[in-house]
């Protein structure tokens, strides 16, 4: 770890830390940091939001577990390769943004973040997701686009609050049957993968599903249209776009996107 950049020692630094303590918000985006700042760890319970986006931090120290009241952790666009196991001690965490790093796997302790609502780890090197992800019952958004995933774990079907899954630009071949359990799911995006079929019953059981995007996959439009529940899915999708039109939202020149290549 190390000290973050400041203009001078003494007064300005003390004022900055005092401000962080009073607001609970530590903003160090674009600060040219190469190490995790010591003074942030020393604040312990005072930190609610920590934004370290767009720095050059390679290591997240185990001492991060001291920030037990932290609700938002943003470390996107750094050089992080791994996360410490005791990240799971951050029981207050609701938002975890790790996009644009070099992470190849997530610790099993991720499943201990039971209050987590948003997990975004796009543009990394993930080859799998831990089975413990199924313990994230409050997770609403999961973004794992632009990784090296060949599959999604069966346990993802236990994330009962999931509304959106972004898994574009991977090498996913199969989708777990447990996706059918996600009755809150509204959007499932899997463009640019190797998906050749969708779990039976997905369009029937996922009654909230309004957007299913499978461009540049082996699955054909004919296969998609033959699925049980397709007509009901189409009605939901069109209602969504009708509402957007009523709200004066432009659809673009291509009109309605069916989500599957012909």
């Amino acid at each position: 770890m190390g000290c973050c950049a400041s203009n001078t020692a003494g007064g300005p630094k003390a004022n900055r830390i005092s401000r962080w303590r009073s607001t609970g918000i530590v903003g160090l985006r674009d600060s040219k940091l190469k190490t995790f700042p010591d003074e942030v760890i020393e604040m312990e319970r005072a930190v609610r939001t920590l934004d370290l986006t767009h720095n050059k931090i390679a290591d997240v120290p185990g001492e991060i577990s001291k920030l037990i009241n932290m609700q938002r952790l943003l470390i996107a666009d750094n050089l992080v390769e791994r996360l410490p196991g005791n990240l799971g001690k951050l029981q207050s965490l609701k938002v975890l943004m790790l996009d644009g790093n070099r992470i190849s796997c997530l610790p099993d302790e991720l499943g201990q973040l039971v209050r987590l609502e948003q997990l975004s780890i796009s543009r990394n090197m993930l080859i799998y997701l831990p089975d413990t992800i199924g313990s994230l019952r409050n997770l609403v958004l999961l973004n794992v686009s632009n990784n090296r995933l060949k599959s999604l774990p069966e346990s993802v079907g236990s994330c009962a609050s999931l509304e959106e899954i972004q898994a574009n630009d991977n090498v996913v071949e199969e989708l777990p049957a447990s996706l059918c359990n996600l009755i809150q799911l509204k959007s499932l995006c899997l463009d640019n993968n190797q998906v050749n079929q969708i779990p039976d019953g997905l369009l029937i059981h996922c009654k909230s599903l309004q957007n299913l995007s499978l461009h540049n996959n082996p699955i054909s439009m004919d296969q998609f249209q033959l699925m049980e529940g397709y007509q009901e899915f189409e009605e939901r999708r069109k209602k969504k776009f009708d509402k957007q039109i009523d709200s004066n939202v432009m659809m673009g020149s291509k009109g309605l996107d069916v989500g599957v290549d012909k």
Side-chain angles (χ1 to χ4, degrees):
M1 295 188 293
C3 292
C4 55
S6 60
N7 294 330
T8 59
K13 179 178 177 180
N15 289 339
R16 179 179 58 185
I17 293 176
S18 176
R19 183 174 68 252
W20 289 347
R21 286 188 178 278
S22 65
T23 63
I25 301 172
V26 179
L28 288 168
R29 178 183 294 249
D30 294 301
S31 295
K32 300 180 180 179
L33 299 176
K34 293 184 178 180
T35 55
F36 205 96
D38 288 322
E39 55 263 48
V40 173
I41 297 296
E42 291 168 2
M43 288 175 62
E44 298 189 356
R45 295 172 181 267
V47 179
R48 299 292 191 279
T49 293
L50 174 56
D51 187 356
L52 294 168
T53 301
H54 202 246
N55 284 286
K56 295 182 179 181
I57 296 171
D59 182 58
V60 178
E63 289 90 341
I64 196 173
S65 62
K66 294 179 180 179
L67 310 181
I68 60 173
N69 289 328
M70 184 163 56
Q71 297 181 10
R72 294 168 53 87
L73 176 57
L74 317 176
I75 320 182
D77 299 313
N78 277 274
L79 304 173
V80 178
E81 295 184 2
R82 58 176 293 278
L83 298 173
N86 57 4
L87 185 78
K89 294 182 179 179
L90 301 177
Q91 296 288 296
S92 299
L93 203 62
K94 293 182 178 180
V95 176
L96 179 56
M97 299 292 181
L98 298 162
D99 310 276
N101 280 284
R102 302 175 178 180
I103 300 169
S104 59
C105 62
L106 294 170
D108 288 341
E109 291 83 357
L110 178 77
Q112 297 173 14
L113 302 177
V114 294
R115 290 185 175 86
L116 197 64
E117 297 175 2
Q118 297 181 35
L119 173 59
S120 190
I121 187 168
S122 67
R123 296 181 288 115
N124 275 271
M125 301 177 181
L126 288 177
I127 54 177
Y128 70 93
L129 295 175
D131 289 336
T132 54
I133 199 169
S135 299
L136 305 180
R137 304 299 169 85
N138 290 306
L139 194 66
V140 175
L141 167 67
L142 174 62
N143 184 356
V144 291
S145 292
N146 294 94
N147 279 282
R148 301 173 183 177
L149 298 173
K150 291 185 177 180
S151 64
L152 300 178
E154 191 73 28
S155 61
V156 75
S158 297
C159 298
S161 299
L162 259 182
E163 294 183 7
E164 181 175 356
I165 298 176
Q166 296 276 348
N168 299 316
D169 298 289
N170 281 281
V171 286
V172 175
E173 298 175 0
E174 291 187 36
L175 299 177
S178 65
L179 286 180
C180 298
N181 298 334
L182 301 177
I183 60 175
Q184 304 295 331
L185 190 65
K186 295 179 180 178
S187 180
L188 175 59
C189 297
L190 289 150
D191 293 343
N192 305 316
N193 279 280
Q194 299 297 322
V195 178
N196 53 35
Q197 64 179 15
I198 302 171
D200 292 336
L202 180 72
L203 300 182
I204 300 172
H205 299 297
C206 296
K207 295 185 181 299
S208 298
L209 192 64
Q210 299 173 337
N211 178 47
L212 177 56
S213 192
L214 289 158
H215 293 296
N216 196 23
N217 279 276
I219 189 171
S220 69
M221 188 64 187
D222 288 340
Q223 288 174 273
F224 188 55
Q225 290 178 334
L226 289 173
M227 287 186 63
E228 190 173 0
Y230 173 77
Q231 291 302 324
E232 292 82 357
F233 165 73
E234 270 292 282
E235 290 174 8
R236 292 194 301 270
R237 186 176 63 83
K238 288 179 179 178
K239 282 182 180 179
K240 173 189 174 183
F241 279 98
D242 286 344
K243 287 181 179 179
Q244 289 180 338
I245 294 170
D246 291 341
S247 300
N248 297 318
V249 176
M250 297 299 291
M251 289 188 302
S253 59
K254 293 184 179 180
L256 295 182
D257 185 349
V258 295
V260 181
D261 297 321
K262 296 181 179 179

